[in-house]
């Protein structure tokens, strides 16, 4: 059995299928870990969701910020954005089935029997992996409950940016969602910034990428997406950035875990 990690698909279904063909992925024997943002901005979000769902236990998904926003649209909390190209998905006859499946997906995946984790945006410098797992599980329980609409409506906003100031259930939930699905940069004390999306070379000196805080020990691996400006480059050898901007005309990336080999598929944008 081979384990593969794939970066942000964002509706780039043809690139995903070509990449899985390239690595000879077998749904019977292999596992595909998807680093969030399955949907939005690309042309085929509906086909992407249907395919990943059809993989059953062979697919291990985490929710990204675009996936959560889609759920908020489905529940009537937010309006759909034209640039997200979700009209086919939102009018699909199996929409309810797809959304029921999507909201059941976790915020963190951990590989069995090893200290390897995956979340969409990373790990807050103010948390250990175990703290993140605990808070992710609490947030997942909220999203999977009969009060899902209430909790989805509470995830919007940028406060608190500091875990020490998350002093009630709603603020802890929002900090968890923001840390695991939106975070890129942090201030020196590990608190969150949401204004900067640039590459580290262009970022203000008051900010550092979350992975430069060295809060993940060398025996632990963390896989994430979300940050296309990195183009797969981050310094720590035990942290793997997989968003390589396919939806923006760059490429989709898969990491084969046992030998850490990368495979890419150039965006098909020019072919459409």
């Amino acid at each position: 059995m081979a384990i593969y990690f794939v970066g942000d698909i964002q509706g780039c279904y043809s690139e995903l299928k070509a990449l899985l063909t390239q690595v000879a992925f077998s749904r019977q024997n292999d596992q595909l870990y998807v680093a969030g943002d399955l949907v939005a901005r690309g042309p085929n979000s509906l086909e992407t969701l249907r395919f990943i769902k059809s993989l059953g236990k062979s697919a291990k998904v985490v929710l990204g910020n675009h996936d959560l926003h889609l759920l908020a649209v489905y529940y009537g909390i937010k309006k759909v954005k034209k640039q997200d190209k979700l009209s086919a998905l939102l009018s699909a006859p199996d929409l309810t089935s797809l959304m029921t499946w999507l909201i059941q997906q976790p915020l963190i995946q951990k590989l069995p029997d090893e200290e390897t984790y995956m979340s969409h945006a990373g790990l807050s410098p103010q948390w250990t992996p175990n703290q993140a797992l605990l808070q992710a599980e609490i947030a997942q329980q909220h999203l999977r409950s009969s009060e899902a609409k209430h909790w989805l409506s509470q995830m919007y906003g940028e406060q608190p940016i500091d875990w020490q100031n998350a002093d009630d259930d709603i603020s802890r939930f929002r900090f968890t969602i923001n840390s695991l699905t939106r975070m890129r940069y942090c201030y020196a004390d590990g608190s969150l910034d949401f204004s900067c999306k640039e590459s580290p070379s262009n970022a203000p000196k008051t900010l550092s990428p979350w992975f430069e805080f060295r809060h993940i020990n060398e025996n632990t691996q963390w896989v994430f997406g979300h940050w296309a400006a990195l183009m797969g480059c981050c310094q720590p050898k035990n942290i793997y950035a997989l968003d390589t901007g396919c939806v923006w005309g760059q490429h989709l990336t898969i990491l084969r875990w046992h030998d850490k080999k990368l495979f890419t598929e150039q965006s098909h944008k020019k072919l459409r």
Side-chain angles (χ1 to χ4, degrees):
M1 182 188 81
I3 292 174
Y4 298 94
F5 289 89
V6 65
D8 301 36
I9 303 167
Q10 292 198 244
C12 294
Y13 177 65
S14 64
E15 291 89 338
L16 174 64
K17 292 288 285 184
L19 196 49
L20 292 177
T21 298
Q22 185 184 151
V23 301
F25 175 79
S26 166
R27 68 172 67 202
Q28 288 78 30
N29 301 313
D30 301 331
Q31 288 189 327
L32 181 66
Y33 281 70
V34 185
D37 278 4
L38 285 71
V39 302
R41 308 295 173 90
N44 299 114
S45 291
L46 172 59
E47 291 83 355
T48 300
L49 276 188
R50 283 174 172 167
F51 174 71
I52 299 297
K53 180 176 179 285
S54 77
L55 293 178
K57 293 182 179 180
S58 295
K60 305 293 183 182
V61 176
V62 294
L63 292 170
N65 53 302
H66 282 291
D67 307 315
L68 288 165
H69 185 72
L70 168 61
L71 288 164
V73 169
Y74 174 72
Y75 277 91
I77 299 164
K78 292 288 183 176
K79 292 184 178 179
V80 66
K81 299 175 183 178
K82 184 177 180 181
Q83 64 266 33
D84 283 345
K85 302 178 182 178
L86 294 173
S87 56
L89 172 56
L90 292 171
S91 60
D94 54 342
L95 175 64
T96 297
S97 173
L98 291 169
M99 294 302 96
T100 299
W101 170 82
L102 186 63
I103 205 168
Q104 297 295 316
Q105 304 311 307
L107 293 162
I108 298 178
Q109 292 276 6
K110 180 183 181 297
L111 263 62
D113 305 319
E114 60 178 279
E115 292 300 307
T116 299
Y117 303 82
M118 176 182 70
S119 64
H120 180 59
L123 174 67
S124 165
Q126 297 185 337
W127 279 345
T128 65
N130 283 338
Q131 286 175 306
L133 281 172
L134 174 61
Q135 296 306 319
E137 178 58 33
I138 293 170
Q140 289 158 214
Q141 289 174 8
H142 290 319
L143 291 174
R144 293 169 180 172
S145 74
S146 60
E147 299 296 319
K149 182 175 181 178
H150 164 74
W151 288 103
L152 285 167
S153 71
Q154 298 299 325
M155 72 179 175
Y156 290 95
E158 298 182 351
Q159 295 296 328
I161 62 171
D162 192 316
W163 179 241
Q164 303 305 316
N165 295 327
D167 53 10
D168 59 38
D169 289 346
I170 289 174
S171 61
R172 285 189 287 270
F173 175 78
R174 188 180 298 126
F175 184 91
T176 299
I177 295 295
N178 284 339
S179 295
L180 295 175
T181 71
R182 294 183 61 207
M183 174 185 67
R184 291 185 179 91
Y185 287 99
C186 298
Y187 294 96
D189 62 357
S191 59
L192 307 177
D193 167 79
F194 299 107
S195 61
C196 186
K197 299 181 181 179
E198 302 292 330
S199 64
S201 60
N202 296 324
K205 293 182 179 180
T206 55
L207 299 174
S208 297
W210 66 268
F211 49 78
E212 289 188 359
F213 283 77
R214 307 291 175 168
H215 55 302
I216 300 175
N217 70 55
E218 61 184 15
N219 297 318
T220 299
Q221 290 73 232
W222 207 281
V223 181
F224 73 105
H226 183 56
W227 199 343
L230 294 176
M231 286 304 293
C233 298
C234 64
Q235 281 189 332
K237 294 181 179 179
N238 59 329
I239 299 178
Y240 301 84
L242 291 184
D243 182 2
T244 47
C246 185
V247 77
W248 306 117
Q250 297 299 322
H251 54 268
L252 191 64
T253 295
I254 269 185
L255 169 66
R256 187 168 64 197
W257 189 241
H258 75 270
D259 60 1
K260 308 302 185 289
K261 184 174 180 179
L262 293 169
F263 301 83
T264 64
E265 178 70 20
Q266 183 63 38
S267 169
H268 297 176
K269 198 170 185 178
K270 292 181 180 179
L271 303 178
R272 297 186 186 92

